[in-house]
Amino acid sequence: MKTYGHFIHGGEVSAVSGETFPSYAPMTGEIVGHAARGSAADVNAAVKSARAGFKAWALLPPAERERVLLRAADLLETRADRLTDILIDESGSVITKARAEVLYSASLLRAAAGEARRLYGDTFPNDKPHRLSMVFREPLGVIAAISPFNAPLSLLVKMVSFALGAGNAVVAKPSEETPIIALELAEVLHEAGLPPGTFNVVTGYGAEAGVALVESREVNGIAFTGSTSTGIKIAQSAVKSMKRLQMELGGKNPLVVLKDVDIEEAAGIAAVGAFFHGGQICMSSARIIAEKEIARTFAKALAERAKRLPLGDLRDPQTAYGPLINARALEKVKRHVDEARAAGAEILSGGETYRGLVFQPTVIWDPPRVCSAWCEETFGPVVSVVAADDLDEAIAIANESDYGLSAGVLTNDMARGMSAARRIRCGAVHVGMHSFQSDSMAPVGGFGMSGFGRSGGKYSVEHFTELKWISLELDKTPLPF
Ligand code: NAD
């Protein structure tokens, strides 16, 4: 069984304490490997290395940064089988999700490579005619990238690639559930020619390595993808040293189903939105609001599909999804379902553990809109369906949430679909599709408790650069005294 060190200054380094922690395969409970247990001492070493790496990296011509990122994309694809295997074992992903994640990560690296060349500045007409002004974009410096477990490669790549493309150095702290895939990414970037210090990984727990990274005075910006509760803690701490923050947090995403849809087709789309990766996706369709004429029939059609989904065998391409990440996640899913049941909701499918950490695909009919299954992020294979009188009420119910990450609207009437899309308060609304969509060039992020800042394509550049105004006096300027 391999023991992995941190990745600092271009090489593997043991924890200063010498301690390690196990990474488990959620499907089998077996240990996939051991990783260094990071503390403040390890974080300080990584940040020091990043500061040194930043100096040289920021000065490289954009074409050089582009070249490294493109090479990394190619390498990632060359290693797709190995990385897919690690994702299957370490994060409990099914093979189709794992492979798609690797390919999407390569696409993100290429998008970031393109952005490296597009750090455009600006000029503007000055109030004072004797002044010439220019606006430059400069990298922030050292970025802390703190990532979650559910798509542990692509979500990390999304932060890291655009940060590097803009000329920053990065210290990553991956989820304690999935440290190994982050270390594999470090190897790929290293082999692609990224200079030592430009990308570092400190593995360990949020309360230890994560807290130390957020508190570090030498970190200039934080890109965080994870739960809203952790995001709040990080923001509270980071503001003390005025770090730039990008927060991609949780969601409780609505899918509005209008009465003109083909019920079977809509149920098929909703099943993917709700059950892809067992609902462990920030943008999962978790709250379905259907017009009353079709709501019950639609919910039953969705439940029938749910009952037929093949579960558990991660290496079979037909398998819909595998396990939840750990026992705590399973307990939360059970609690949400039990509370809805106790509150009088009808469980149309599932509602129980399938085996191990795999929970059955669960469709809840008409839960009270105050219970946890409706209001809180379940992050499991559980979806609730309620009926709305009409489009206006459906939108009002969709907006009854503190979150605002992503939404879907199913209809064949594009005018009603667009009207709904403009009125739903979310960072993204997908008409004709469920709420879970990704695109390397799209601005991904949330309203409300789903966070702030947008990532993807040119939108990431906003987060990872500072604007600087430089002016030049063209004539002798009259001075006030
Ligand atoms: P989490 O918040 O528990 O952990 C995320 C990361 O933060 C981990 O690396 C963890 O070690 C670290 N961390 C924990 N406490 C910390 C602290 N006090 N200081 C610094 N770092 C700390 O999230 P998770 O359970 O790994 O992931 C699931 C959550 O992520 C869900 O809420 C999901 O919606 C969200 N998510 C959001 C997006 C998005 O794009 N909006 C994408 C994927 C996941």
Side-chain angles (χ1 to χ4, degrees):
M1 186 66 47
K2 184 163 177 195
T3 298
Y4 296 76
H6 304 304
F7 188 88
I8 298 177
H9 217 71
E12 203 176 327
V13 179
S14 300
V16 170
S17 67
E19 287 187 55
T20 62
F21 67 101
S23 173
Y24 293 100
M27 192 66 217
T28 60
E30 285 165 12
I31 293 176
V32 183
H34 294 268
R37 180 169 174 172
S39 64
D42 304 301
V43 165
N44 290 343
V47 172
K48 193 171 164 207
S49 159
R51 282 245 76 87
F54 169 63
K55 279 193 189 141
W57 181 245
L59 293 177
L60 276 185
E64 288 300 316
R65 297 204 294 268
E66 179 194 43
R67 201 193 312 274
V68 171
L69 294 172
L70 290 177
R71 240 189 260 133
D74 290 345
L75 268 175
L76 215 63
E77 283 175 345
T78 311
R79 282 191 205 165
D81 286 348
R82 175 185 168 78
L83 297 171
T84 299
D85 257 349
I86 294 170
L87 284 171
I88 291 172
D89 290 337
E90 198 179 37
S91 71
S93 301
V94 291
I95 188 164
T96 42
K97 182 258 187 191
R99 183 162 284 277
E101 187 174 343
V102 175
L103 300 182
Y104 177 50
S105 301
S107 169
L108 285 164
L109 281 159
R110 294 194 178 104
E115 293 310 322
R117 281 194 186 254
R118 287 194 286 268
L119 302 173
Y120 294 118
D122 212 353
T123 59
F124 56 89
N126 290 263
D127 288 347
K128 304 211 167 98
H130 50 78
R131 178 185 289 157
L132 179 66
S133 288
M134 293 146 273
V135 182
F136 289 84
R137 274 193 187 279
E138 297 187 354
L140 287 185
V142 174
I143 304 291
I146 303 178
S147 55
F149 70 82
N150 60 320
L153 181 63
S154 61
L155 291 170
L156 184 58
V157 168
K158 192 167 200 200
M159 299 186 270
V160 168
S161 59
F162 289 103
L164 292 174
N168 300 279
V170 176
V171 178
K173 207 304 279 173
S175 167
E176 49 272 47
E177 303 288 353
T178 51
I180 294 170
I181 193 72
L183 296 164
E184 292 283 332
L185 173 66
E187 286 295 339
V188 165
L189 288 166
H190 182 64
E191 281 187 43
L194 198 69
T198 318
F199 180 61
N200 307 274
V201 179
V202 176
T203 52
Y205 296 100
E208 297 170 0
V211 166
L213 191 54
V214 171
E215 286 179 352
S216 169
R217 287 270 166 188
E218 295 290 312
V219 167
N220 305 98
I222 297 176
F224 173 71
T225 308
S227 62
T228 298
S229 56
T230 304
I232 291 170
K233 283 188 212 156
I234 289 178
Q236 282 170 336
S237 167
V239 77
K240 289 183 212 150
S241 49
M242 287 296 163
K243 293 181 175 74
R244 176 82 61 86
L245 286 175
Q246 182 188 47
M247 290 278 153
E248 301 212 355
L249 309 178
K252 192 74 186 180
N253 310 289
L255 177 66
V256 171
V257 185
L258 301 185
K259 61 190 172 198
D260 65 276
V261 294
D262 176 295
I263 300 260
E264 280 306 322
E265 193 188 350
I269 294 172
V272 177
F275 301 127
F276 188 83
H277 199 36
Q280 296 173 106
I281 298 284
C282 54
M283 301 173 200
S284 287
S285 305
R287 297 184 295 136
I288 299 185
I289 304 133
E291 281 188 292
K292 64 175 187 290
E293 292 83 350
I294 56 149
R296 179 79 183 170
T297 320
F298 166 83
K300 284 191 161 173
L302 177 59
E304 285 314 307
R305 275 175 190 267
K307 287 174 193 165
R308 295 197 302 268
L309 291 181
L311 303 180
D313 182 352
L314 302 183
R315 287 182 164 79
D316 178 347
Q318 299 304 314
T319 305
Y321 66 82
L324 293 158
I325 192 68
N326 55 32
R328 198 159 25 92
L330 180 65
E331 281 313 307
K332 182 181 184 189
V333 170
K334 281 190 195 158
R335 178 168 55 78
H336 282 196
V337 174
D338 289 346
E339 279 177 25
R341 199 187 267 123
E346 188 181 349
I347 310 297
L348 296 180
S349 72
E352 307 294 337
T353 302
Y354 172 70
R355 84 178 129 93
L357 294 177
V358 185
F359 198 78
Q360 292 173 336
T362 300
V363 178
I364 304 177
W365 168 251
D366 200 22
R369 299 205 310 268
V370 287
C371 72
S372 52
W374 184 263
C375 302
E376 293 173 26
E377 190 178 44
T378 307
F379 226 56
V382 177
V383 60
S384 302
V385 185
V386 300
D389 280 345
D390 53 24
L391 178 60
D392 287 345
E393 196 192 23
I395 290 167
I397 295 173
N399 287 339
E400 261 175 16
S401 174
D402 293 336
Y403 292 110
L405 190 58
S406 194
V409 181
L410 300 185
T411 177
N412 292 309
D413 181 336
M414 287 307 120
R416 290 185 93 209
M418 278 307 290
S419 164
R422 292 305 303 270
R423 288 191 283 158
I424 294 174
R425 290 195 48 78
C426 275
V429 184
H430 304 288
V431 181
M433 209 8 100
H434 53 73
S435 55
F436 161 47
Q437 305 300 321
S438 44
D439 191 306
S440 57
M441 300 300 280
V444 172
F447 288 18
M449 298 303 271
S450 292
F452 47 80
R454 296 292 182 269
S455 70
K458 67 175 185 177
Y459 308 98
S460 282
V461 171
E462 298 295 324
H463 176 68
F464 292 123
T465 54
E466 290 279 19
L467 289 179
K468 182 185 280 176
W469 171 32
I470 296 183
S471 75
L472 174 69
E473 293 303 313
L474 298 175
D475 293 318
K476 291 279 178 227
T477 312
L479 299 170
F481 55 85

